Amino acid sequence: MQLPDDQIKQAILHSDLPVRRLALHYFSQSFSDDTTVMPVVIEAAEKYGRVASIHLVGEGQNLPQTESTIQWCMEELRQDFDEQDENLQNYRFALSKVLANADPSLLRDKESEVTELPALLPEFGKALSERIHLLDEDSNTLWDKLEEFCERENEKQYLNEMDLPHAYRLVEALGRGGTDVANRVYFMLEEEIDNSINSPRTLMQGFVVRLAGELRLRQAIPSLIQHLHEDDDWFNEECQRALARIGGDEVVEAVSQEFSNAAWPFRLFASGVLEQIHTDRVVEKCLRLFEKEKDHLIKTYLGRAAVSHFASEAIEPVRQFILETKPDAEILELREALVAASTVLGIEFPELDAWKKDDENARSLGQMLFAEKFGSFDDHAADYDDDLDDDTWGSDESLLSEFTYPSTTFVRQDARIGRNEPCPCGSGKKYKKCCMKN
């Protein structure tokens, strides 16, 4: 039985940080329209303090804001921040992300006030201003600008050399279009393009996949499922995002039908879809696929998906899997999610207290195990800040939780710190699953 949303929402105030994070993740990664979640995040920040709430406030960028939550962020950014205090700078970064990603129509009349806030990071102010100005562009103009972007940027070899945040803002603005935009999306999703070759058309089709999610086009589900089968990490990520944003049992059913016979990349990203969509049937589907899955990593991700729905029936099978599996970084992360969900559900098992107490040891062990698999992260630490800037400034992308694999067309990792390399902060997680998303 799944816990009601209101009870999960209250878990954002729980005394245990892993519980707060898992509860917030339930809403922040599902494209929720619930405007009552951010006020609870604010309550948690005021209760536990700024430093303990950096991650929670940062995830607020994926939540719908209101006049009052925007005002709270603005008041926080009017305060002085010690530039020598790294934690406060991270908190400032998180607040800036929230404002930069809020509904631009709510900030249209406050643009100058927001962009002149003393602690707002300038890059986020520029991103917000562009989103506000795009409110006045018609869909034909926006479509032309997106095509021009693809023509211009296609010459670059890597995605992270392109101004993707700008393109995503164009896609977001197009998502406010009507039937004409939707018809263009349907047409282009069906267009046969050889995505093993870089071309402006290939690039445009990737953005159109994202646009189908912005428009929440249920008729596009079959096409998105087909694109999810493609061997390209960027397309896979965009398909996952689009399908999760459309949501509903129709997507859950479509993904589940293809899952067992699909290739490894499809199953990996489809696991993320099943985690992000909250319906009555999704836990049942997750557990059936979890039981049949033979690949260790996919099974771990399916377990995480099932547990993240705060469903009591997921606890025991996932617990047994953890007990029977040799620990690695992913298993330890799954274990933390299991403990957090069990705590909220009030379910006890013999290892619960020991696993709760072992969080710090588990992080150290996860770091060691990850280093064994992927090598030491020490050599990358000097370039960490530059890479973080390159990957996150002004971005409204919310692909925070998915493992990726090498692309046949577009390569997203930076040459200095690869997305799949150990994070230089020492957490034991991959860079993209840790500090890259902050």
Side-chain angles (χ1 to χ4, degrees):
M1 181 177 179
Q2 292 176 249
L3 206 63
D5 283 7
D6 285 345
Q7 291 185 42
I8 299 174
K9 199 179 305 176
Q10 286 307 302
I12 298 171
L13 299 172
H14 196 275
S15 58
D16 293 345
L17 179 59
V19 172
R20 299 201 295 274
R21 293 179 64 165
L22 187 66
L24 178 56
H25 186 86
Y26 176 91
F27 296 100
S28 66
Q29 298 305 303
S30 64
F31 302 98
S32 171
D33 293 326
D34 189 345
T35 57
T36 68
V37 180
M38 188 63 187
V40 183
V41 173
I42 292 172
E43 186 179 349
E46 293 176 341
K47 181 176 182 178
Y48 296 106
R50 291 175 171 178
V51 173
S53 304
I54 292 169
H55 177 85
L56 299 184
V57 173
E59 280 213 40
Q61 70 165 320
N62 301 316
L63 298 172
Q65 305 298 320
T66 63
E67 293 282 355
S68 61
T69 61
I70 287 172
Q71 193 61 41
W72 181 84
C73 292
M74 291 173 64
E75 290 301 320
E76 288 290 280
L77 286 170
R78 286 194 176 97
Q79 301 181 39
D80 291 330
F81 286 85
D82 182 357
E83 293 190 3
Q84 303 304 313
D85 190 325
E86 183 178 348
N87 285 323
L88 289 180
Q89 290 305 309
N90 288 336
Y91 182 70
R92 174 189 178 193
F93 184 94
L95 288 166
S96 297
K97 282 201 301 183
V98 173
L99 287 180
N101 287 282
D103 182 348
S105 64
L106 291 176
L107 292 166
R108 185 195 288 267
D109 297 333
K110 296 184 176 71
E111 180 183 355
S112 60
E113 184 182 1
V114 171
T115 55
E116 292 171 9
L117 287 168
L120 182 82
L121 294 170
E123 290 81 358
F124 288 109
K126 294 174 184 176
L128 175 61
S129 291
E130 182 181 20
R131 293 177 67 231
I132 290 172
H133 296 160
L134 288 175
L135 289 170
D136 298 322
E137 299 276 11
D138 65 83
S139 59
N140 287 329
T141 301
L142 290 167
W143 192 276
D144 289 344
K145 286 184 175 181
L146 188 59
E147 287 187 325
E148 290 167 6
F149 173 91
C150 294
E151 291 284 348
R152 182 177 67 252
E153 298 291 294
N154 181 64
E155 298 303 317
K156 296 176 181 176
Q157 185 176 3
Y158 301 114
L159 276 178
N160 62 2
E161 295 175 344
M162 303 177 189
D163 187 5
L164 282 185
H166 167 65
Y168 288 146
R169 288 190 282 273
L170 291 174
V171 172
E172 177 198 39
L174 276 166
R176 291 186 284 269
T179 304
D180 179 56
V181 174
N183 288 337
R184 291 188 180 190
V185 170
Y186 293 134
F187 176 80
M188 192 160 188
L189 285 177
E190 295 296 328
E191 185 175 345
E192 292 188 10
I193 300 173
D194 182 1
N195 71 1
S196 67
I197 302 173
N198 285 2
S199 73
R201 207 64 182 161
T202 303
L203 197 57
M204 186 69 179
Q205 193 174 58
F207 292 125
V208 167
V209 166
R210 188 183 184 93
L211 181 54
E214 292 293 322
L215 292 163
R216 301 195 173 186
L217 301 178
R218 296 204 167 275
Q219 287 179 263
I221 293 173
S223 294
L224 293 173
I225 292 292
Q226 289 306 307
H227 282 295
L228 190 57
H229 280 287
E230 295 176 15
D231 189 13
D232 184 291
D233 70 334
W234 183 51
F235 266 70
N236 292 153
E237 288 180 350
E238 294 299 348
C239 285
Q240 177 183 325
R241 185 184 192 278
L243 289 167
R245 190 171 180 85
I246 294 169
D249 279 330
E250 189 176 352
V251 172
V252 172
E253 189 64 36
V255 166
S256 300
Q257 285 181 353
E258 299 281 321
F259 197 99
S260 296
N261 296 321
W264 189 88
F266 179 100
R267 305 201 315 277
L268 190 64
F269 286 92
S271 299
V273 175
L274 295 176
E275 179 176 345
Q276 292 174 271
I277 297 176
H278 306 307
T279 72
D280 292 336
R281 300 180 62 186
V282 69
V283 175
E284 175 191 349
K285 296 291 185 182
C286 281
L287 290 176
R288 283 186 183 178
L289 296 170
F290 174 82
E291 182 181 352
K292 296 177 182 178
E293 182 60 51
K294 302 301 182 185
D295 181 89
H296 167 76
L297 185 63
I298 305 293
K299 195 175 182 77
T300 303
Y301 275 43
L302 285 169
R304 162 82 186 198
V307 164
S308 296
H309 292 291
F310 293 89
S312 56
E313 59 266 38
I315 301 302
E316 185 56 25
V318 172
R319 169 182 168 258
Q320 288 297 329
F321 171 62
I322 294 172
L323 289 171
E324 296 165 1
T325 306
K326 181 180 178 180
D328 60 18
E330 287 84 9
I331 286 293
L332 294 175
E333 186 175 341
L334 174 60
R335 194 181 81 177
E336 183 176 80
L338 175 71
V339 168
S342 300
T343 301
V344 176
L345 290 164
I347 296 175
E348 297 186 358
F349 48 83
E351 305 82 16
L352 182 62
D353 289 339
W355 286 354
K356 276 186 180 181
K357 293 176 183 177
D358 199 35
D359 276 351
E360 286 300 324
N361 291 336
R363 291 189 191 98
S364 298
L365 177 59
Q367 175 180 320
M368 180 190 71
L369 292 170
F370 202 89
E372 287 178 359
K373 289 171 68 174
F374 298 98
S376 172
F377 49 80
D378 293 337
D379 295 338
H380 306 296
D383 293 317
Y384 162 67
D385 289 331
D386 290 341
D387 287 338
L388 190 60
D389 291 348
D390 292 343
D391 289 327
T392 58
W393 281 130
S395 176
D396 58 355
E397 190 173 12
S398 57
L399 305 168
L400 306 176
S401 61
E402 284 65 48
F403 178 90
T404 58
Y405 59 99
S407 168
T408 56
T409 307
F410 299 106
V411 181
R412 299 192 54 166
Q413 66 266 24
D414 188 274
R416 291 164 294 178
I417 301 181
R419 300 177 74 215
N420 293 318
E421 292 180 36
C423 186
C425 78
S427 67
K429 298 180 181 180
K430 294 182 179 71
Y431 177 49
K432 67 184 164 191
K433 289 192 61 120
C434 191
C435 291
M436 176 179 168
K437 61 191 178 185
N438 293 327

